[in-house]
């Protein structure tokens, strides 16, 4: 028996629902997928709610965590894990909950980079459908996982229900409660298909258009104005609009807004809490 799972999906961002339960149920049926790992930033409340709502499918409680060294996925969590900690400490906290630690897009911006070589990871995301068209980053992650003899997974990292499972991991196991163990043991088969390259990506990153709405494929929006974020080829000096510190970064809002990581985390958590409603109202 096996389960086809997309192990990196965002359903909520800063208190805004991106994928609701009905869309998720339809996506599973349309794309022949058995479930997902819900890996939102900042909290796990939507993941917990979806697990209760969609009991006929596999919903893995996860979180994409901002460590000091870069993004890390915790899968199989019971409680939220705080951001801004050392990556080694964060992995320990994931393991304390009985979860597994996965390095997503390690060689893309905001991944843990070369640090991945020295970490006690349970798996490495060697194929991200979101960056599938830029083959080199996925290829480098795969080579490293093979060298380290670490389990490999594939996923989409999407916020669009139409593309859930376009790339995914088939886990060979009899019971759903043994999925994490099977992933760690490498009893998987990877399905690799890139997400389409949206025209919005070219407009914001290559042609420098302003005032662009986030693309549904990966709805990364500015925490200040909610327009799309951009990733430039070269670093540029920016001044954080909250604390005033100056940093060189490739990432900023398409309208020029910039905040440092510390301030983004503060604002993001505050905004998620500000938008928070009683769960029955918030996620219906």
């Amino acid at each position: 028996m096996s389960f086809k799972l997309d192990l990196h999906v965002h359903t909520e961002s800063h208190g805004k629902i991106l994928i609701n339960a009905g869309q998720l149920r339809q996506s599973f049926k349309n794309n022949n997928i058995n479930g997902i790992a819900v890996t939102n930033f900042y909290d796990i409340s939507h993941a917990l709610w979806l697990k209760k709502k969609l009991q006929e499918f596999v919903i893995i409680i996860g979180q994409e965590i901002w460590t000091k060294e870069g993004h890390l996925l915790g899968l199989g969590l019971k409680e939220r894990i705080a951001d801004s900690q050392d990556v080694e400490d964060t992995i320990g906290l994931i393991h304390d909950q009985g979860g597994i630690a996965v390095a997503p897009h390690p060689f893309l911006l905001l991944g843990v980079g070369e640090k991945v070589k020295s970490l006690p990871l349970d798996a490495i995301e060697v194929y991200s459908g979101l960056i599938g068209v830029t083959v080199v980053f996925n290829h480098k992650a795969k080579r490293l996982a093979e060298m380290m003899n670490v389990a490999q997974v594939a996923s989409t990292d999407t916020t669009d229900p139409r593309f859930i499972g376009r790339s995914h991991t088939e886990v060979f196991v009899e019971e759903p409660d043994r999925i994490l163990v099977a992933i760690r043991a490498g009893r998987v088969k990877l399905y690799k298909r890139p997400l389409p390259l949206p025209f919005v990506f070219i407009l914001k990153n290559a042609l420098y258009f302003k005032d662009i709405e986030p693309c549904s494929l990966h709805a990364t929006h500015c925490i200040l104005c909610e327009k799309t974020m951009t990733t430039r080829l070269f670093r540029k000096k920016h001044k954080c609009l909250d604390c005033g510190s100056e940093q060189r970064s490739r990432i900023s809002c398409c309208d020029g807004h910039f905040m440092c990581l510390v301030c983004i985390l503060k604002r993001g958590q505050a905004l998620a809490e500000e938008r928070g409603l009683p769960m029955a109202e918030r996620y219906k």
Side-chain angles (χ1 to χ4, degrees):
M1 187 175 177
S2 66
F3 296 87
K4 295 181 178 180
L5 306 170
D6 191 337
L7 296 172
H8 188 175
V9 175
H10 295 274
T11 63
E12 179 187 30
S13 178
H14 306 123
K16 292 179 65 175
I17 304 303
L18 304 172
I19 303 174
N20 62 37
Q23 291 171 314
L24 203 50
R25 181 182 287 108
Q26 193 61 49
S27 177
F28 291 154
K29 295 177 180 178
N30 291 347
N31 301 331
N32 192 29
I33 291 293
N34 302 115
I36 62 171
V38 180
T39 54
N40 298 327
F41 289 104
Y42 307 118
D43 66 41
I44 64 171
S45 57
H46 198 217
L48 290 167
W49 187 84
L50 287 169
K51 187 175 180 68
K52 291 180 179 179
K53 195 74 173 176
L54 301 173
Q55 295 186 25
E56 69 272 35
F57 299 102
V58 176
I59 304 293
I60 297 173
I61 308 301
Q63 181 185 342
E64 187 160 9
I65 306 156
W66 294 74
T67 76
K68 289 181 179 178
E69 292 80 3
H71 289 181
L72 184 71
L73 296 180
L75 305 184
L77 300 182
K78 301 175 179 65
E79 298 178 356
R80 174 188 177 271
I81 291 179
D83 298 289
S84 302
Q85 302 181 82
D86 290 332
V87 65
E88 291 92 343
D89 294 339
T90 304
I91 291 173
L93 293 171
I94 293 170
H95 288 162
D96 288 346
Q97 295 191 32
I100 63 173
V102 181
H105 48 70
F107 297 108
L108 192 68
L109 199 62
L110 298 180
V112 295
E114 295 292 337
K115 179 78 173 177
V116 72
K117 297 177 182 177
S118 62
L119 297 175
L121 294 163
D122 301 294
I124 294 175
E125 184 185 74
V126 303
Y127 192 86
S128 166
L130 188 66
I131 61 172
V133 292
T134 54
V135 180
V136 63
F137 298 109
N138 284 329
H139 180 66
K140 190 174 180 181
K142 179 174 175 57
R143 288 189 61 186
L144 182 63
E146 291 172 345
M147 182 184 74
M148 295 172 60
N149 195 29
V150 175
Q152 304 177 30
V153 298
S155 60
T156 60
D157 192 8
T158 191
T159 59
D160 191 324
R162 295 173 299 170
F163 296 100
I164 289 174
R166 191 178 178 98
S167 53
H168 66 269
T169 304
E170 185 174 9
V171 184
F172 295 92
V173 67
E174 292 299 319
E175 300 295 335
D177 60 1
R178 302 292 291 171
I179 285 173
L180 298 183
V181 173
I183 292 173
R184 189 187 295 114
R187 297 197 296 272
V188 301
K189 181 178 180 180
L190 308 189
Y191 293 81
K192 306 173 183 179
R193 291 180 63 201
L195 272 62
L197 182 66
F199 185 54
V200 167
F201 181 87
I202 298 171
L203 288 178
K204 68 179 183 176
N205 290 323
L207 301 180
Y208 307 124
F209 274 52
K210 297 183 180 299
D211 201 34
I212 298 179
E213 298 295 329
C215 173
S216 65
L217 285 179
H218 190 69
T220 306
H221 59 268
C222 174
I223 205 166
L224 296 174
C225 70
E226 299 200 354
K227 299 299 181 180
T228 188
M229 298 297 290
T230 63
T231 304
R232 307 298 190 206
L233 185 60
F234 300 106
R235 294 179 185 273
K236 178 182 176 182
K237 183 181 285 187
H238 296 278
K239 186 175 183 179
C240 176
L241 294 176
D242 271 8
C243 71
S245 65
E246 291 191 346
Q247 296 184 10
R248 298 188 66 83
S249 175
R250 298 187 188 94
I251 301 175
S252 66
C253 166
C254 66
D255 287 341
H257 303 136
F258 175 79
M259 287 197 300
C260 68
L261 176 58
V262 172
C263 292
I264 285 174
L265 292 174
K266 287 180 180 177
R267 282 249 194 171
Q269 185 60 45
L271 188 55
E273 292 172 358
E274 177 185 321
R275 284 178 170 161
L277 298 168
M279 196 170 285
E281 298 177 26
R282 184 179 180 190
Y283 297 140
K284 64 183 176 181

